[in-house]
C-alpha cells in the first residue's frame, strides 16, 4: 500500500486564529465561495447592457430561472419577496458543494502533528500523494468544502427557519402566525395539530442541515476513498456524480426553503386567491419533492 | 460533530453579507437591465405588429385601388369600343354616301357621254343620209334644207321608237 487512508473527521480544522476566534478551513472556502458568487454578479452587472455579454447572459439566465421558480411556487408578490433568499442560498450552497471536485481541496495542507504517529513538526504538503507512506494520513487540509461542515449547513438552515418565521409574522400578522401553533378555536384537534407544527418547524432545521451535510460529507469521503484505492483515474467518474449531487443538493436546500417560506406565509383561511394558489402549489410541490428526494437518496445509497 | 457558536455565527455572517450585497445591489441592477430589455423587446414586437397591421391595411387599399383601376379600365375599354363602333359606322356611312355620289356622277357622265354620242351619231347619220340623197337626187336641194329635213326625220323616228 503506497498511501494510508487520510484521517477523516467531521469537525473542521482551525487554520489560524484572529484574536480568540479560529478561522476554519471550511470558513475560508465559504468566504471564497461568496466572493466568487459576488464576483460573477459584479462582472455581470458592471457594464450591464441590453445586449448581454456571455457572463451577463449566464448570470441573467440563472437569476431568471430562479425568479420564475419562486414566482411559480409562491406567487408573483411573495415570489419576488423570497427570491433573494432562495437565490443566495442556492448559489452559495452550489459553490460550496462543488469545491470537493476541485483538485487541491483537501489534499493541500499541513502535516498534523496531533495525529498519533505523525511527525512532530508541522510541515506543508502540496498534495496528498506527494508525501511518504507514513505521513499520508496526517494532512490537515487548508481548504475543505463548506458543505462538509455542520456549522455551515446548520447556520443556513437556521437562517432559512428564521426568515420563514419572520415573513410569517410580517405577512400574516402575529395573531395568525401564532394561531398556527396555538389554535384554540378548532378544539382539541387544532391544539394537537398546532403542537405538531410547533415541534416540526424547528425539526426542519435538522432535516435541511443534515441532508445537505450527509450527502456532501459522504460524497467527500467517497472521493477520498476511491482516490486512495485507485489513485488518479478511479475517482474521475465520481467527480461527475459529485457535480450532479452538489447541484441537486443545492437546489433541494433552496427549493425546500422556498416551500417552507410559502407554507409559512399561508394562512389556513386562504382569503387571497393568489395565496390559495401558492399554498396548493407549494403543498403539491413539497410532496413531489419529498418523493423525489426519497427516491434519489435510495438510488444514491 | 464540531458544532460551535463561532462556527455558526461566522458562516451565517458570510451568508448574510452575501445576501445583503446581492439583494441590495446585484439583483436590482440585473433585474433593471432585464426589465429594460423586456420593454425594448415588447416595443419591438408591438412595432412589428403595428407594421404588420399597416401593411395589411395598405394591401387592402392597394387591392381596392386595383379593383377600381380594373373597373375604370373596363369602362374605358367599353367606352372606347363604343366610340370605335360609332366611328366605324360613320366612316362606313360616309364611304357609302361617297360611293353613291361617285356612282351618280359616273352615271351622269355616262348619260352625258351617251347623249353626246347619240347627237354625234345622229349628225353622222344625217350627213350620210344627205350624202346618200344627194347622190340619188343630185344637187336639187341645198345643204341647209337637207340637214333640216333629215333632222326632222330623225326626231320623228325617235318619237316613233319611244
Amino acid at each position: 500500500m503506497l498511501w494510508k487512508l487520510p484521517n477523516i473527521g467531521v469537525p473542521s480544522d482551525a487554520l489560524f486564529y484572529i484574536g480568540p476566534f479560529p478561522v476554519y478551513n471550511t470558513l475560508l472556502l465559504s468566504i471564497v465561495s461568496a466572493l466568487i458568487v459576488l464576483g460573477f454578479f459584479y462582472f455581470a452587472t458592471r457594464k450591464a447592457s441590453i445586449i448581454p455579454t456571455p457572463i451577463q447572459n449566464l448570470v441573467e439566465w440563472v437569476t431568471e430561472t430562479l425568479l420564475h421558480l419562486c414566482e411559480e411556487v409562491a406567487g408573483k408578490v411573495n415570489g419576488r419577496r423570497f427570491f433573494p433568499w432562495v437565490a443566495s442560498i442556492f448559489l452559495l450552497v452550489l459553490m460550496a458543494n462543488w469545491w470537493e471536485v476541485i483538485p487541491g481541496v483537501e489534499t493541500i495542507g499541513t502535516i498534523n502533528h496531533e495525529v498519533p504517529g505523525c511527525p512532530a513538526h508541522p510541515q506543508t504538503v502540496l498534495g496528498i500523494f506527494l508525501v511518504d507512506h507514513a505521513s499520508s494520513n496526517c494532512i490537515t487540509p487548508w481548504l475543505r468544502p463548506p458543505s462538509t461542515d455542520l456549522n455551515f449547513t446548520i447556520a443556513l438552515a437556521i437562517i432559512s427557519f428564521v426568515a420563514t418565521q419572520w415573513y410569517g409574522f410580517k405577512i400574516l400578522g402575529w395573531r395568525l402566525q401564532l394561531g398556527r401553533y396555538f389554535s384554540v378555536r378548532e378544539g382539541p384537534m387544532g391544539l394537537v395539530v398546532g403542537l405538531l407544527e410547533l415541534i416540526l418547524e424547528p425539526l426542519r432545521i435538522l432535516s435541511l442541515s443534515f441532508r445537505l451535510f450527509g450527502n456532501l460529507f459522504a460524497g467527500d469521503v467517497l472521493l477520498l476513498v476511491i482516490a486512495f484505492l485507485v489513485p488518479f483515474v478511479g475517482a474521475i467518474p465520481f467527480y461527475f456524480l459529485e457535480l450532479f449531487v452538489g447541484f441537486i443538493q443545492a437546489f433541494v436546500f433552496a427549493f425546500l426553503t422556498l416551500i417552507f417560506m410559502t407554507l409559512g406565509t399561508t394562512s389556513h383561511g386562504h382569503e387571497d386567491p393568489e395565496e390559495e394558489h401558492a399554498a396548493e402549489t407549494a403543498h403539491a410541490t413539497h410532496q413531489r419533492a419529498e418523493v423525489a428526494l426519497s427516491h434519489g437518496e435510495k438510488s444514491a445509497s | 460533530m464540531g458544532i460551535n457558536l463561532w462556527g455558526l455565527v461566522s458562516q451565517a455572517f458570510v451568508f448574510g453579507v452575501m445576501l445583503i450585497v446581492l439583494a441590495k445591489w446585484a439583483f436590482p441592477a440585473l433585474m433593471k437591465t432585464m426589465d429594460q430589455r423586456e420593454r425594448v423587446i415588447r416595443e419591438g414586437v408591438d412595432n412589428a405588429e403595428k407594421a404588420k397591421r399597416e401593411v395589411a391595411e395598405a394591401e387592402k387599399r392597394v387591392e381596392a385601388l386595383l379593383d377600381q383601376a380594373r373597373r375604370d379600365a373596363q369602362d374605358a375599354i367599353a367606352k372606347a369600343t363604343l366610340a370605335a363602333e360609332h366611328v366605324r359606322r360613320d366612316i362606313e356611312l360616309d364611304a357609302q354616301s361617297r360611293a353613291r355620289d361617285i356612282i351618280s356622277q359616273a352615271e351622269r357622265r355616262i348619260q352625258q357621254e351617251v347623249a353626246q354620242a347619240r347627237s354625234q351619231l345622229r349628225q353622222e347619220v344625217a350627213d350620210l343620209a344627205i350624202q346618200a340623197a344627194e347622190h340619188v337626187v343630185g344637187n336639187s336641194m341645198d345643204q341647209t334644207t337637207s340637214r333640216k329635213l333629215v333632222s326632222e326625220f330623225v326626231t320623228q323616228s325617235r318619237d316613233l321608237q319611244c
Side-chain angles (χ1 to χ4, degrees):
Chain A
M1 195 63 72
L2 289 173
W3 299 283
K4 290 179 183 174
L5 186 64
N7 185 32
I8 297 167
V10 174
S12 53
D13 302 296
L15 296 175
F16 54 90
Y17 286 80
I18 298 174
F21 302 113
V23 175
Y24 298 106
N25 47 10
T26 51
L27 178 63
L28 207 62
L29 270 191
S30 209
I31 293 168
V32 175
S33 304
L35 287 176
I36 288 173
V37 172
L38 291 176
F40 262 101
F41 274 86
Y42 172 72
F43 285 111
T45 55
R46 188 178 52 162
K47 287 176 185 171
S49 66
I50 293 177
I51 301 163
T53 56
I55 190 167
Q56 187 189 342
N57 211 359
L58 173 73
V59 172
E60 277 186 11
W61 173 67
V62 173
T63 306
E64 207 166 11
T65 307
L66 290 170
L67 182 63
H68 282 165
L69 179 77
C70 291
E71 287 179 349
E72 207 171 292
V73 173
K76 195 89 178 169
V77 178
N78 282 343
R80 291 225 161 198
R81 202 176 269 165
F82 303 152
F83 163 70
W85 295 87
V86 175
S88 301
I89 286 174
F90 174 74
L91 294 170
L92 184 63
V93 174
L94 185 70
M95 285 306 301
N97 291 353
W98 278 354
W99 278 116
E100 65 181 5
V101 297
I102 303 293
V105 173
E106 291 192 278
T107 55
I108 295 174
T110 314
I111 296 289
N112 187 356
H113 60 278
E114 289 172 3
V115 176
C118 291
H121 300 291
Q123 177 193 345
T124 301
V125 176
L126 297 173
I128 200 167
F129 301 114
L130 300 177
V131 294
D132 59 355
H133 170 258
S135 309
S136 62
N137 63 335
C138 305
I139 290 176
T140 297
W142 289 344
L143 303 169
R144 182 174 153 180
S147 310
T148 60
D149 181 7
L150 270 171
N151 289 307
F152 176 78
T153 59
I154 291 176
L156 285 186
I158 290 173
I159 287 170
S160 162
F161 170 75
V162 172
T164 302
Q165 293 302 315
W166 185 71
Y167 275 121
F169 279 105
K170 190 183 171 192
I171 292 168
L172 296 178
W174 64 274
R175 285 185 67 172
L176 274 175
Q177 179 67 2
L178 288 179
R180 293 158 61 92
Y181 309 117
F182 307 104
S183 180
V184 187
R185 285 181 190 168
E186 293 171 20
M189 188 54 80
L191 276 173
V192 173
V193 171
L195 189 65
L196 281 175
E197 285 266 343
L198 197 62
I199 296 166
L200 281 175
E201 286 285 345
L203 282 179
R204 285 173 180 170
I205 296 175
L206 290 181
S207 77
L208 276 177
S209 56
F210 277 87
R211 178 186 292 118
L212 181 61
F213 169 76
N215 276 289
L216 268 294
F217 188 75
D220 199 37
V221 172
L222 175 72
L223 286 181
L224 277 177
V225 171
I226 295 293
F228 167 73
L229 292 174
V230 191
F232 304 115
V233 291
I236 290 172
F238 293 94
Y239 280 137
F240 293 103
L241 176 71
E242 284 311 307
L243 279 174
F244 178 68
V245 169
F247 170 78
I248 290 293
Q249 289 305 319
F251 182 76
V252 165
F253 198 109
F255 196 56
L256 286 177
T257 299
L258 173 64
I259 287 170
F260 293 151
M261 281 181 166
T262 308
L263 292 176
T265 52
T266 310
S267 62
H268 291 297
H270 302 318
E271 287 162 3
D272 185 5
E274 192 190 354
E275 190 185 307
E276 188 175 351
H277 170 71
E280 283 170 4
T281 312
H283 273 296
T285 316
H286 188 200
Q287 283 170 353
R288 282 203 300 273
E290 288 290 343
V291 171
L293 271 178
S294 62
H295 279 298
E297 276 161 12
K298 270 181 202 166
S299 56
S301 66
Chain B
M1 302 285 268
I3 303 167
N4 60 70
L5 185 63
W6 165 247
L8 291 172
V9 170
S10 57
Q11 296 284 8
F13 179 76
V14 171
F15 174 76
V17 170
M18 189 186 124
L19 172 69
I20 288 168
V21 173
L22 286 179
K24 286 280 176 194
W25 290 286
F27 290 141
L30 211 60
M31 282 181 182
K32 190 181 161 193
T33 312
M34 282 154 63
D35 289 344
Q36 199 178 346
R37 185 184 301 122
E38 194 181 330
R39 211 166 40 245
V40 169
I41 290 170
R42 193 179 299 132
E43 278 174 10
V45 171
D46 288 349
N47 286 341
E49 287 286 330
K50 195 178 164 189
K52 207 173 163 184
R53 280 199 301 273
E54 283 176 358
V55 165
E57 282 171 13
E59 276 177 356
K60 275 184 190 171
R61 280 201 302 274
V62 166
E63 196 61 36
L65 285 172
L66 280 174
D67 283 347
Q68 185 64 38
R70 275 190 211 105
R71 278 198 300 273
D72 289 350
Q74 279 169 356
D75 287 351
I77 289 167
K79 279 178 187 170
T81 309
L82 203 64
E85 186 64 25
H86 280 300
V87 169
R88 187 188 65 77
R89 197 174 298 155
D90 289 349
I91 289 170
E92 199 175 294
L93 289 174
D94 189 38
Q96 282 174 354
S97 134
R98 277 190 190 179
R100 274 196 299 275
D101 287 350
I102 289 167
I103 289 167
S104 62
Q105 278 177 5
E107 280 173 352
R108 273 199 302 277
R109 195 175 294 163
I110 288 166
Q111 281 172 356
Q112 281 174 359
E113 282 181 5
V114 167
Q116 197 176 351
R118 277 184 181 163
S119 163
Q120 218 168 3
L121 184 64
R122 198 181 301 139
Q123 197 169 351
E124 283 176 11
V125 169
D127 287 345
L128 279 174
I130 289 166
Q131 283 175 4
E134 275 179 356
H135 190 70
V136 174
V137 291
N139 292 327
S140 57
M141 290 174 66
D142 62 343
Q143 199 171 2
T144 310
T145 310
S146 303
R147 191 173 295 272
K148 190 180 172 187
L149 285 173
V150 170
S151 182
E152 283 171 2
F153 169 75
V154 170
T155 305
Q156 281 172 358
S157 62
R158 194 170 57 191
D159 289 342
L160 283 172
Q161 278 175 353
C162 292

